[in-house]
Amino acid sequence: IKEHLKDGQRLVEPFVGSGALFLSNSFEKYLLCDTNVDLINLYNNLKKNPEELIAKTGRYFSGKYNSELQYYQLREKFNSLDSNDMRKSALFVYLNKHAFNGLCRYNRKGFFNVPYGRYKAPKFPEEEMCNFAKKSKRAEFKCQNFEDTFRETREGDIIYCDPPYVPLSTTSNFTSYSKYDFDLEDQNLLARNAEESKAKGIQCVISNHDLKVTREMYRKSKIYEISVQRKIASKSASRKKVNEIIAVF
């Protein structure tokens, strides 16, 4: 992905997710957005109160909380807390490291519902959280949809979009990253936003599965093919490489 990004002053990500691209690039500024309020609150708490959040998070990695009973009690606690409560950000990290395959999934009511992962000794990501906090000083984190984020872009920005992918099959679409679905209409709307950005001289790069429907949506872009190893399938034998595309507008 980095190979296809032009030079710019600010990296804009409407679907920041794990922030992998943010952490591996050196832009002057960043606008990083997502519809997952728990994720954005975690990032803002790491930016504003890193020492307090890291201390609260570390308590959940002492070992005594790594059991099925404790996991489900803490998951219930997480779902009962207000989004702005820093304890919820600490528990969000705990759940990420103790849940099955590190999935982030919510039900229709907005409750985190990933089952227990049964890991022997989940690692407390203290160093990673410290590094994130340092780099976040140059970033602005917002909980908003991709259309609002596109409206905030300006000359000198580079946009990278990593939306919920178009499913490879009807049976593979089993997760909901937030309580709001991202359907084919949203996918097409995203492509139109990318085309409009291109017309304004703002580069937009999008990742997605390599399918007939995505190639049609991104027909006004330059398409590059890549092969990616999947790590989410429940059975290790099912974790195969899949074809993806990088669409550069």
Side-chain angles (χ1 to χ4, degrees):
I1 293 166
K2 290 168 66 176
E3 294 177 4
H4 301 293
L5 300 180
K6 293 181 179 178
D7 291 331
Q9 297 174 337
R10 184 174 69 159
L11 176 66
V12 178
E13 292 195 61
F15 310 88
V16 63
S18 68
L21 194 65
F22 156 61
L23 292 169
S24 64
N25 275 280
S26 296
F27 284 80
E28 292 179 27
K29 295 181 179 180
Y30 301 86
L31 174 60
L32 307 172
C33 307
D34 207 286
T35 57
N36 187 321
V37 64
D38 297 322
L39 182 73
I40 295 301
N41 282 342
L42 167 63
Y43 290 166
N44 274 319
N45 281 327
L46 263 179
K47 176 182 178 179
K48 299 171 184 176
N49 302 289
E51 293 182 359
E52 182 181 355
L53 177 58
I54 291 170
K56 287 182 180 295
T57 305
R59 297 170 190 163
Y60 296 113
F61 288 81
S62 62
K64 69 177 182 179
Y65 295 108
N66 187 24
S67 70
E68 189 168 4
L69 175 63
Q70 289 289 344
Y71 174 83
Y72 286 112
Q73 287 180 345
L74 289 176
R75 191 182 75 172
E76 185 176 356
K77 176 80 171 174
F78 172 85
N79 286 324
S80 71
L81 290 172
D82 182 85
S83 293
N84 295 318
D85 193 319
M86 188 173 288
R87 290 176 298 170
K88 191 162 193 176
S89 290
L91 284 170
F92 194 51
V93 179
Y94 163 84
L95 292 172
N96 175 260
K97 294 298 181 182
H98 291 76
F100 176 74
N101 269 344
L103 282 173
C104 182
R105 186 186 65 192
Y106 298 78
N107 63 21
R108 293 290 183 180
K109 294 182 179 180
F111 294 151
F112 188 93
N113 66 352
V114 183
Y116 180 53
R118 302 182 185 280
Y119 302 114
K120 288 185 178 180
K123 176 181 177 292
F124 172 36
E126 182 176 11
E127 182 179 353
E128 290 86 348
M129 292 176 76
C130 288
N131 291 336
F132 191 103
K134 291 175 183 176
K135 190 161 187 180
S136 68
K137 303 304 180 185
R138 287 187 278 159
E140 181 179 12
F141 301 99
K142 288 189 174 184
C143 184
Q144 61 186 25
N145 63 42
F146 71 89
E147 287 184 278
D148 289 336
T149 304
F150 268 88
R151 279 191 278 269
E152 291 191 32
T153 58
R154 55 179 185 259
E155 185 178 353
D157 285 344
I158 301 296
I159 308 170
Y160 171 63
C161 298
D162 186 22
Y165 279 17
V166 176
L168 292 170
S169 67
T170 55
T171 56
S172 67
N173 192 23
F174 71 100
T175 62
S176 183
Y177 172 62
S178 69
K179 62 181 177 180
Y180 307 105
D181 287 332
F182 198 85
D183 58 23
L184 204 56
E185 183 178 347
D186 293 310
Q187 298 280 359
N188 281 297
L189 181 58
L190 174 60
R192 291 197 294 273
N193 273 269
E195 292 171 13
E196 292 171 4
S197 293
K198 177 183 177 181
K200 296 175 184 176
I202 301 173
Q203 186 196 42
C204 182
V205 179
I206 306 179
S207 300
N208 216 315
H209 280 137
D210 188 355
L211 301 168
K212 183 178 179 180
V213 64
T214 53
R215 284 181 175 266
E216 173 60 23
M217 283 190 296
Y218 306 148
R219 62 188 179 278
K220 295 184 180 180
S221 71
K222 175 67 175 177
I223 292 178
Y224 300 88
E225 302 171 7
I226 58 173
S227 182
V228 178
Q229 182 69 46
R230 279 284 172 263
K231 298 182 179 179
I232 291 296
S234 58
K235 296 180 180 180
S236 59
S238 301
R239 298 174 188 175
K240 304 174 182 178
K241 286 191 174 183
V242 298
N243 295 326
E244 295 186 8
I245 54 176
I246 298 175
V248 180
F249 289 86

